[in-house]
Amino acid sequence: MTTHVPGDALVSLNAVNKHYGQLHVLKDINLQVRKGEVVVVIGPSGSGKSTLCRAINRLETIEGGTISIDGKVLPEEGKELAQLRADVGMVFQSFNLFAHKTILENVTLGPIKVKGVPKATADKDAMALLERVGVGHQAPKLPAQLSGGQQQRVAIARALAMKPKVMLFDEPTSALDPEMINEVLDVMIQLAKEGMTMIVVTHEMGFARKAADRVVFMADGQIVEDATPEEFFTNPKSDRAKDFLSKLLTH
Amino acid sequence: MDVILENLPLYWNGFLRTLFLSAVSGVIALVLGTLLAAARVSPVAALRGFSTVYVEVLRNTPLTIAFFFAAIVLPRLGVKFEQFEVAAIIALSTYTAAFIAEAVRSGVNSVPVGQAEAARSIGMNFGQVLNLIILPQALRTVVPPLINILIALVKNSSVAGAFFVLELFGYGRQLANANGDAVIPVLLGVAFFYLLLTVPLGILASTVERKVAIAR
């Protein structure tokens, strides 16, 4: 548990709805995340948690309701949306590092091209970030030359380089070999301790217990529970959550 | 064989004109084709529609129709030009652009969608995503098919010979008419000069293909 005091709602979802054809994948989602809060979203696969995460920076469009970041409602496709996205860091399950750019360029591209930061400054900041996530010595390499865990840490550095107000993590450790999961989680825990606002979709219950301020449990496109990790793991209220947790604990 | 050696300057002249026609049309077609491909994947429905119709019409009609259009219909619509070369360049580049657009589009589709999502999520706009992330990766896979299209362009430029543009094939036809007893050597000579253009392109294609493969 972190000790910082959360402020106003930084990310706010109100009555958000989305369908994939017949499938109602997000049903009247309401979620407020305050500044400095770490919210972990868990739930069975197909529950809509990834879609929720992707909707927050409009990689998925929504059909009803509103999503706002720091008081501003997500605009339609265009210049304003690009500006808003720069304030929202995103880390993907499959890393998605730019395959034709070096590790350093992956981190500096956003600041240089989107924010107009001079190259020398961007390089210096990027090196500091890469050192911070423990891959500084990999800077001149191409993404394919790094392990999955290293790539994901670079992806975190790339998102941080934009100095985002909030970081979204969409199953950041699901594509990793077991021995690489901790190196990524350690970086995320450190980030949480430093007060970054984070929304994390994950299956890592250890991370949820350790770093989350709140656990949001989703099933069938709905938020079923929204509680502190302590409450959720020791005393889940819904049958759906009890069922989900019992399945986890049997392994 | 004497007929080739005696008319070497004529062959050479035709070769240079074919090279000129192909190079100019090729450059215009590359630019136009890439713009059409960008329009095809853009978020603006009208651009997508225009690009689709353009590509389908040009790709599915014979090149001669494009030539007739450029040489005969355009002047009637008030677009006048001094030389037929201009008409030939318009026909060749607009026709070839359709094929280039398709090749670039398939290259764009070969880049994993996560690359674009990552670029968008750090705040890049559509143009930046395309120019900095997608096209540099797409062009690498697109180079071999593009060179195939350029080889076809070099050969297609011979159609210009039928429209009073004197290029390699046009001179070849003149020579064949003038030397009725040596038609076969004349045509072999024409073929040789075409090969002089197209074979190096083919070699270039396989070299580039080996060099630019990117690791994922």
Side-chain angles (χ1 to χ4, degrees):
Chain A
M1 283 285 285
T2 47
T3 51
H4 50 259
V5 184
D8 296 333
L10 186 60
V11 179
S12 176
L13 286 79
N14 294 299
V16 170
N17 276 287
K18 180 178 177 69
H19 290 80
Y20 281 136
Q22 290 291 308
L23 186 67
H24 199 168
V25 68
L26 293 178
K27 294 178 191 163
D28 273 324
I29 300 287
N30 289 293
L31 180 69
Q32 320 294 323
V33 179
R34 283 163 304 194
K35 195 168 183 307
E37 242 186 337
V38 176
V39 174
V40 167
V41 183
I42 61 173
S45 45
S47 61
K49 54 195 194 306
S50 272
T51 309
L52 176 75
C53 188
R54 290 163 55 84
I56 295 174
N57 68 354
R58 211 172 181 275
L59 288 178
E60 300 282 351
T61 54
I62 55 171
E63 290 144 10
T66 57
I67 299 177
S68 46
I69 313 273
D70 208 7
K72 272 179 264 170
V73 175
L74 273 189
E76 296 284 299
E77 212 64 51
K79 202 173 172 187
E80 285 164 50
L81 178 64
Q83 274 166 3
L84 206 79
R85 273 183 181 142
D87 287 338
V88 181
M90 176 95 184
V91 176
F92 300 86
Q93 181 176 348
S94 49
F95 331 135
N96 294 343
L97 294 182
F98 305 133
H100 62 309
K101 298 277 181 195
T102 66
I103 297 306
L104 185 66
E105 287 168 342
N106 262 277
V107 182
T108 58
L109 202 61
I112 294 173
K113 299 293 181 185
V114 177
K115 287 191 156 179
V117 176
K119 188 175 181 300
T121 317
D123 281 353
K124 199 166 114 288
D125 294 350
M127 278 315 295
L129 279 170
L130 288 172
E131 295 293 348
R132 185 166 139 200
V133 299
V135 287
H137 55 293
Q138 312 280 13
K141 291 188 184 168
L142 286 171
Q145 295 170 282
L146 271 62
S147 73
Q150 290 171 327
Q151 288 194 48
Q152 193 61 299
R153 285 182 283 153
V154 174
I156 294 173
R158 174 176 69 182
L160 289 175
M162 296 302 290
K163 303 194 170 67
K165 292 175 180 163
V166 54
M167 287 278 283
L168 308 174
F169 293 82
D170 184 10
E171 302 201 24
T173 56
S174 298
L176 294 175
D177 292 338
E179 73 268 26
M180 291 172 186
I181 289 176
N182 279 335
E183 63 188 50
V184 172
L185 290 181
D186 286 346
V187 169
M188 290 169 62
I189 288 168
Q190 190 58 39
L191 209 55
K193 279 187 183 148
E194 287 164 11
M196 175 59 78
T197 310
M198 294 162 66
I199 298 172
V200 184
V201 174
T202 187
H203 295 289
E204 295 296 327
M205 299 305 146
F207 175 81
R209 281 174 187 275
K210 222 178 200 171
D213 294 304
R214 275 158 67 198
V215 172
V216 168
F217 176 73
M218 280 185 78
D220 304 323
Q222 283 172 308
I223 293 182
V224 180
E225 294 205 28
D226 185 344
T228 65
E230 186 65 21
E231 259 173 53
F232 178 76
F233 287 112
T234 53
N235 187 23
K237 293 185 195 71
S238 63
D239 291 341
R240 201 77 181 75
K242 281 176 194 164
D243 181 51
F244 178 74
L245 287 171
S246 71
K247 275 175 188 155
L248 285 181
L249 297 175
T250 52
H251 291 292
Chain B
M1 285 315 262
D2 288 347
V3 70
I4 298 179
L5 294 175
E6 280 163 16
N7 293 294
L8 214 48
L10 209 59
Y11 273 115
W12 184 246
N13 201 358
F15 173 81
L16 290 181
R17 281 167 177 263
T18 290
L19 184 63
F20 172 78
L21 267 185
S22 308
V24 174
S25 310
V27 170
I28 297 174
L30 279 172
V31 173
L32 186 58
T34 307
L35 288 176
L36 283 166
R40 191 77 182 265
V41 297
S42 87
V44 184
L47 286 177
R48 281 201 304 273
F50 171 79
S51 175
T52 309
V53 170
Y54 179 100
V55 168
E56 291 309 322
V57 170
L58 270 291
R59 193 167 67 135
N60 293 314
T61 47
L63 176 59
T64 26
I65 303 271
F67 264 96
F68 272 116
F69 194 87
I72 294 160
V73 182
L74 278 187
R76 292 209 177 173
L77 295 174
V79 188
K80 299 253 193 311
F81 17 75
E82 298 293 304
Q83 298 148 311
F84 274 112
E85 252 109 346
V86 181
I89 287 169
I90 290 173
L92 283 171
S93 51
T94 48
Y95 177 80
T96 308
F99 291 87
I100 287 178
E102 276 301 281
V104 172
R105 184 178 69 96
S106 77
V108 165
N109 289 342
S110 77
V111 178
V113 67
Q115 295 283 313
E117 288 185 345
R120 281 153 69 197
S121 75
I122 57 171
M124 286 189 190
N125 59 37
F126 175 74
Q128 288 174 321
V129 174
L130 207 59
N131 287 327
L132 299 171
I133 306 301
I134 305 298
L135 285 181
Q137 294 186 57
L139 284 177
R140 294 170 202 219
T141 59
V142 150
V143 164
L146 277 189
I147 291 181
N148 277 339
I149 293 168
L150 293 180
I151 289 174
L153 166 64
V154 171
K155 298 189 292 177
N156 286 340
S157 71
S158 65
V159 176
F163 286 83
F164 318 112
V165 177
L166 281 177
E167 39 67 78
L168 191 48
F169 186 75
Y171 279 123
R173 222 167 43 154
Q174 278 188 353
L175 280 176
N177 284 339
N179 302 279
D181 53 339
V183 171
I184 292 173
V186 164
L187 290 180
L188 283 177
V190 170
F192 170 79
F193 278 98
Y194 273 109
L195 288 172
L196 212 57
L197 274 175
T198 50
V199 169
L201 276 174
I203 294 170
L204 181 69
S206 42
T207 315
V208 171
E209 197 167 3
R210 257 180 282 121
K211 285 230 169 116
V212 298
I214 40 168
R216 289 203 180 281

